[in-house]
Amino acid sequence: MQKDGTTYVAFFQLSNAGSFVNSLKGFIKFVKSRTNRNLYIVVDEVQSVLSKSFAELDIFQENTSDYVWKFVKNFHNRPYETTLEAFSKLADVWLYKEPVKRPVEEAVADILNNSLSIDVPHPPLSLGYGEEYEVIGAHGLGVALPSRPPCPRGTPLSQEQWNKYKDPDGRILNHEEVKDIIFRGGITPSLRFEVWKFLLNYYPWNSTNIERLELKKRKTDEYFTMKLQWRSMTPIQEKNFSDYRDRKSLIEKDVNRTDRTHSYYSGDDNPHLVQLYDILMTYVMYNFDLGYVQGMSDLLSPILCLMESEVDAFWCFVGFMDKVSTNFEIDQAGMKAQLCQLYTLLSTTDPQLAHYLNRQDSGNMFFCFRWLLVLFKREFTAVDIMKLWEILWTDLPCKNFHLLLCAAILDTEKTILMENRYGFTEILKHINDLSLHIELPWTLSKAEGIYHQLMSVEDQLPDNVRTIIGLESLNKPPSDCELEDGEASGHNDDSNGTDSSSRRNSTENGNVKFGNNEVSFERGLNLSYM
């Protein structure tokens, strides 16, 4: 029986599961899970938010006035596609650059807000301030955070320091100390070519020079074996292999618009674009379950630019994807988990801001979606993103430090958001406009300071906060989002292998309620993906 009451006496012939699946195709849109061959994921007649590239979300040339009305008209009938196609332009152009269209602004804003069935009720917060401590009371949780300590940045890992940590055979001694230096100040640019291979698990820290040469030879052979697999595909094979064909088409489109303003990828017939394409196609053969999802080319681009070698860039990219692969799951479970974790952290570190965001229909943290998906790739310059990534790859000072970095950025923007009484669309626009205007050293220092604030009251933190930053559980009741043990995180290795079914079955996390239908969550993600 369908929702409209239509019934079918014989919906399908009871022969096998395949006949049932084929019968459903006429009524709902779904895709087969890449990780479980027996699982089909309903996408509710819309491409996933991850099926649109960043470039696609920011291209069209139409009369702005006509397009706004078209958007309003089409939103109810095609909410997902319409939002994916137009929301970034609405926020950046019509809603804010053409004040004469205020009635349209209100109509669009109302539609967007009403499309989210997110209910995050919070009682009023009681804030008391002392000379050294800020006493926070919310949901019966009292946590006294001391003043945020200054955390000055250090100098980059130098060639002299790097040589000091090598033994005569080339092994890296005390690699934890090396990581600490990298966390404090990054890596001297001339050393990145070598050190990134260790940070991204291409080379083991305890390997000798000879062992690394042998490893590179094996990895080179393995790479070209996989590359030969897709290059030797016949036209008939491609015609009969729709999944492969679709991924190849996505890669072709994305490569032609990835970092084309960067000198390394600019111009026509650029050979580096061919390398970018070849590496991504080979990764499809390496990990066909995950395949290729738009956004991955953004992660590979700086690595290839640095390595200038297909083989080295490929295996470093593999190591990077091992850390963030859950960001690209088709059910977006990893992204959902991180957004919930970010809200949980913010409720502890800055409940006043968290409460304000809730009242503005932004407690879902969807506006941070782009930050997390490609690990701030669009927020910093090419120079800064290399430094930020190598710092995050150290996994210091704690698990999920990238979420503390988000909290630090929001702390910097708190006054602007609250004093201007920004609502849902204004918050989204303001966060998007921060791109390339965030000061990296200051933000890193603030994020580390927030970490030390939390650690100073370690025994008072609820278990869900402790879990996020990698502390053992004390079996205390959580204050906000209920997070299951092992819940996916897009940044840490230990997030891989998580039972995603347990996450999908959870429709409500503490005070952040996503409703019985996850469509509302998906729609909110679409609004933030720009």
Side-chain angles (χ1 to χ4, degrees):
M1 179 180 291
Q2 292 182 250
K3 288 182 178 180
D4 62 5
T6 305
T7 59
Y8 298 85
V9 177
F11 181 63
F12 69 99
Q13 297 297 320
L14 186 58
S15 57
N16 54 46
S19 63
F20 173 67
V21 170
N22 289 332
S23 299
L24 284 179
K25 288 181 178 178
F27 300 90
I28 59 175
K29 184 175 181 179
F30 54 86
V31 294
K32 195 170 185 178
S33 170
R34 296 192 180 106
T35 57
N36 184 343
R37 64 187 181 88
N38 296 317
L39 176 65
Y40 291 83
I41 301 169
V42 177
V43 294
D44 197 28
E45 300 181 353
V46 61
Q47 294 175 328
S48 165
V49 66
L50 299 182
S51 68
K52 292 283 187 180
S53 74
F54 290 155
E56 281 183 298
L57 288 168
D58 201 36
I59 54 171
F60 57 74
Q61 297 293 330
E62 295 196 37
N63 178 276
T64 57
S65 179
D66 293 343
Y67 207 92
V68 172
W69 287 111
K70 178 182 176 183
F71 176 86
V72 175
K73 179 180 178 181
N74 290 345
F75 189 87
H76 287 293
N77 296 327
R78 300 187 306 116
Y80 304 106
E81 291 112 322
T82 305
T83 299
L84 280 169
E85 180 183 353
F87 188 77
S88 64
K89 286 298 182 183
L90 285 172
D92 288 340
V93 181
W94 304 302
L95 295 185
Y96 298 95
K97 294 182 181 178
E98 298 192 28
V100 296
K101 295 183 174 59
R102 184 58 194 172
V104 179
E105 296 177 21
E106 294 175 354
V108 173
D110 287 343
I111 291 173
L112 295 176
N113 284 313
N114 291 336
S115 72
L116 298 175
S117 57
I118 310 297
D119 180 21
V120 194
H122 282 267
L125 301 176
S126 59
L127 302 179
Y129 298 93
E131 293 182 359
E132 297 182 359
Y133 287 84
E134 177 181 342
V135 181
I136 301 170
H139 314 295
L141 171 67
V143 177
L145 294 181
S147 299
R148 190 174 300 154
C151 298
R153 304 300 299 159
T155 57
L157 177 71
S158 66
Q159 183 70 61
E160 182 181 0
Q161 289 174 310
W162 180 243
N163 293 338
K164 184 184 72 173
Y165 283 102
K166 286 184 179 179
D167 72 5
D169 294 324
R171 298 181 184 87
I172 309 302
L173 307 175
N174 299 321
H175 66 272
E176 293 301 331
E177 289 186 16
V178 174
K179 287 183 178 181
D180 186 67
I181 295 172
I182 295 171
F183 172 75
R184 299 246 61 85
I187 302 170
T188 298
S190 60
L191 270 179
R192 284 180 176 142
F193 174 82
E194 182 178 359
V195 182
W196 275 25
K197 296 172 184 176
F198 293 90
L199 289 173
L200 292 171
N201 300 318
Y202 179 15
Y203 291 160
W205 293 95
N206 62 351
S207 60
T208 65
N209 292 326
I210 294 176
E211 289 171 340
R212 290 196 286 273
L213 287 174
E214 294 174 349
L215 176 63
K216 182 168 183 175
K217 183 179 183 303
R218 292 197 308 271
K219 290 295 187 180
T220 300
D221 291 342
E222 187 176 351
Y223 173 78
F224 284 106
T225 297
M226 292 185 291
K227 184 174 180 178
L228 181 62
Q229 290 173 344
W230 65 265
R231 288 181 66 90
S232 60
M233 282 271 191
T234 67
I236 295 297
Q237 282 180 298
E238 285 195 28
K239 181 180 178 181
N240 296 327
F241 198 170
S242 61
D243 281 349
Y244 170 83
R245 191 171 62 248
D246 291 344
R247 293 170 190 188
K248 178 181 178 182
S249 176
L250 288 175
I251 293 172
E252 288 173 347
K253 292 177 182 178
D254 268 14
V255 163
N256 286 324
R257 55 196 172 204
T258 298
D259 288 340
R260 296 306 303 276
T261 58
H262 193 287
S263 59
Y264 192 77
Y265 297 105
S266 63
D268 298 329
D269 301 321
N270 189 317
H272 301 138
L273 295 179
V274 177
Q275 289 182 309
L276 196 69
Y277 173 84
D278 288 355
I279 293 171
L280 292 172
M281 286 295 298
T282 305
Y283 186 79
V284 169
M285 306 310 295
Y286 172 81
N287 186 356
F288 202 85
D289 281 344
L290 182 61
Y292 176 78
V293 180
Q294 284 159 323
M296 290 182 182
S297 61
D298 276 87
L299 302 185
L300 172 60
S301 170
I303 295 176
L304 177 58
C305 182
L306 176 67
M307 296 295 168
E308 297 186 334
S309 159
E310 271 192 51
V311 174
D312 291 342
F314 173 82
W315 289 111
C316 287
F317 177 67
V318 167
F320 196 2
M321 287 304 302
D322 286 345
K323 295 176 180 291
V324 299
S325 61
T326 55
N327 287 8
F328 299 96
E329 292 174 346
I330 195 168
D331 61 1
Q332 299 170 350
M335 291 299 300
K336 294 175 184 179
Q338 289 181 85
L339 291 169
C340 188
Q341 290 171 336
L342 176 55
Y343 174 77
T344 299
L345 282 173
L346 195 64
S347 296
T348 300
T349 61
D350 196 338
Q352 185 183 37
L353 177 58
H355 182 60
Y356 177 81
L357 293 175
N358 288 331
R359 288 191 288 109
Q360 305 303 324
D361 297 320
S362 298
N364 41 52
M365 311 304 291
F366 296 156
F367 55 88
C368 297
F369 186 85
R370 185 178 69 184
W371 293 358
L372 300 177
L373 180 69
V374 289
L375 215 57
F376 305 100
K377 168 64 161 45
R378 294 301 179 97
E379 316 314 316
F380 294 96
T381 64
V383 173
D384 279 351
I385 199 60
M386 286 189 169
K387 175 170 284 191
L388 175 58
W389 280 358
E390 63 201 17
I391 287 170
L392 293 177
W393 292 337
T394 65
D395 294 322
L396 296 174
C398 66
K399 177 181 175 182
N400 288 317
F401 182 67
H402 67 301
L403 297 182
L404 294 180
L405 196 73
C406 293
I409 298 173
L410 294 176
D411 179 80
T412 301
E413 304 304 317
K414 173 182 176 179
T415 301
I416 295 176
L417 297 178
M418 296 182 64
E419 288 189 355
N420 289 288
R421 300 177 182 272
Y422 281 172
F424 173 80
T425 48
E426 291 89 356
I427 292 172
L428 179 58
K429 180 186 185 300
H430 181 75
I431 295 302
N432 283 341
D433 287 347
L434 293 177
S435 178
L436 304 182
H437 293 92
I438 304 173
E439 186 179 352
L440 182 59
W442 172 246
T443 303
L444 286 167
S445 295
K446 183 176 288 189
E448 186 183 359
I450 293 173
Y451 165 73
H452 289 301
Q453 282 182 295
L454 293 174
M455 291 303 294
S456 67
V457 292
E458 173 187 346
D459 57 345
Q460 300 177 46
L461 296 176
D463 279 348
N464 54 356
V465 176
R466 296 177 62 85
T467 300
I468 292 169
I469 61 176
L471 299 176
E472 291 185 3
S473 171
L474 296 178
N475 297 315
K476 285 187 175 184
S479 62
D480 295 289
C481 297
E482 288 284 344
L483 299 177
E484 298 177 9
D485 290 341
E487 192 161 32
S489 165
H491 175 62
N492 292 286
D493 292 343
D494 57 5
S495 65
N496 299 326
T498 305
D499 182 3
S500 60
S501 62
S502 64
R503 296 191 300 268
R504 287 193 300 271
N505 291 336
S506 176
T507 59
E508 185 173 312
N509 285 323
N511 291 312
V512 178
K513 300 179 181 178
F514 300 114
N516 293 327
N517 189 344
E518 285 198 351
V519 167
S520 61
F521 195 102
E522 300 292 344
R523 189 173 304 167
L525 290 177
N526 292 345
L527 301 184
S528 300
Y529 184 72
M530 293 167 284

